[in-house]
Amino acid sequence: MVCPVCGSDEAVILKNKLIKGKNKEIREFLLKCDECGSVYNERISQDNPKPFRLIISEHEDTHKIFIDLFPDEQLVVGDFLMSELGKVKITSLELEGEKRVKKAIARDVKTIWASSEEIPARFGVSIDLHGKVASFKCETERDFKIAVDDILKIDKYVARVHVIKTEERKTTKGYAKAKVIKRVYAKPVKFNHFDYDLTKYIVQAKPLNKHKS
């Protein structure tokens, strides 16, 4: 929106009105230019929202629903959408021919794949037992923080965190929130005090496995 008098694109919106048509929405603006003070009208039209297929993953479960979006809206992997099942994060965009991309205009997208932001975070915990590994899956609040060098208790083990694997990388320092953690690696310690107990968050425990190199 450019001022017709001075060409500036800086303006204050004085009024705006939405006009809904059969196939398009038109929004009318009354603007005042920041540079010269001129008052002018501007119209922006766009296609009405249309339903797009959205597949939401909740750990092992999936839900297939539809979400209304503007056809010319840009979608990007990592962005968030509000659906009838709550807030979701886009994980993949599928075009015709099953092609997957990280960015696309909504009208070109066949299916939006996303993960729910409304459910507890789930991550793995591996305890290195010098040749064997005790492995657990835990569910906690999404903002639960785990830091390298934390002393945790889980089941019958007390261990020190030495590596945190997130969606992006492995780290040996700092902390991460549960919502981005894939797995926590820890080694047993010989004392009994600990920073927190994950035992009550266990949703799955695997038999002792041989350590994978």
Side-chain angles (χ1 to χ4, degrees):
M1 294 182 285
V2 176
C3 173
V5 177
C6 70
S8 173
D9 59 1
E10 297 292 332
V12 176
I13 298 174
L14 301 178
K15 292 182 181 179
N16 75 83
K17 180 173 67 173
L18 180 64
I19 303 171
K20 289 194 174 185
K22 184 177 180 180
N23 298 313
K24 288 183 178 291
E25 285 187 357
I26 299 173
R27 189 169 289 276
E28 292 185 342
F29 294 93
L30 181 64
L31 304 168
K32 183 177 180 180
C33 178
D34 275 348
E35 285 292 324
C36 68
S38 298
V39 176
Y40 59 99
N41 293 301
E42 188 73 63
R43 272 188 165 202
I44 296 177
S45 66
Q46 58 185 353
D47 293 338
N48 284 334
K50 294 181 180 179
F52 290 85
R53 186 166 65 170
L54 174 64
I55 299 180
I56 303 170
S57 64
E58 294 184 351
H59 302 315
E60 286 84 7
D61 298 324
T62 58
H63 303 278
K64 297 179 182 180
I65 63 173
F66 285 86
I67 185 171
D68 288 340
L69 299 170
F70 290 106
D72 58 354
E73 183 173 343
Q74 181 170 270
L75 302 174
V76 180
V77 169
D79 282 355
F80 298 96
L81 299 172
M82 284 303 301
S83 75
E84 64 185 60
L85 298 181
K87 187 178 180 181
V88 300
K89 183 179 181 180
I90 299 174
T91 55
S92 184
L93 299 167
E94 181 182 343
L95 309 183
E96 292 294 337
E98 299 185 351
K99 181 181 179 181
R100 299 290 185 104
V101 296
K102 293 186 177 181
K103 181 169 64 175
I105 301 301
R107 63 166 54 89
D108 298 328
V109 175
K110 178 183 177 183
T111 304
I112 303 167
W113 297 82
S115 59
S116 174
E117 293 286 300
E118 304 291 338
I119 59 175
R122 180 179 293 185
F123 57 89
V125 178
S126 293
I127 310 295
D128 183 356
L129 301 174
H130 306 293
K132 291 187 176 181
V133 177
S135 185
F136 305 90
K137 281 188 178 179
C138 297
E139 285 187 2
T140 68
E141 293 180 359
R142 300 181 67 80
D143 287 335
F144 187 89
K145 293 179 181 179
I146 297 179
V148 173
D149 288 333
D150 277 358
I151 306 298
L152 62 84
K153 182 180 186 301
I154 186 164
D155 194 23
K156 61 184 178 181
Y157 305 105
V158 176
R160 184 192 302 274
V161 176
H162 66 98
V163 176
I164 299 173
K165 182 181 180 181
T166 70
E167 295 173 351
E168 302 293 332
R169 61 193 178 93
K170 283 186 177 181
T171 183
T172 56
K173 59 182 179 180
Y175 73 90
K177 291 184 177 181
K179 63 184 177 182
V180 300
I181 294 175
K182 291 297 186 183
R183 182 163 293 275
V184 173
Y185 297 89
K187 295 180 179 180
V189 291
K190 294 183 178 180
F191 38 87
N192 294 319
H193 70 270
F194 46 85
D195 296 309
Y196 44 81
D197 190 342
L198 293 179
T199 305
K200 65 181 179 180
Y201 299 116
I202 295 173
V203 294
Q204 183 181 350
K206 293 183 179 180
L208 289 179
N209 298 315
K210 289 185 178 180
H211 181 72
K212 293 181 180 181
S213 57

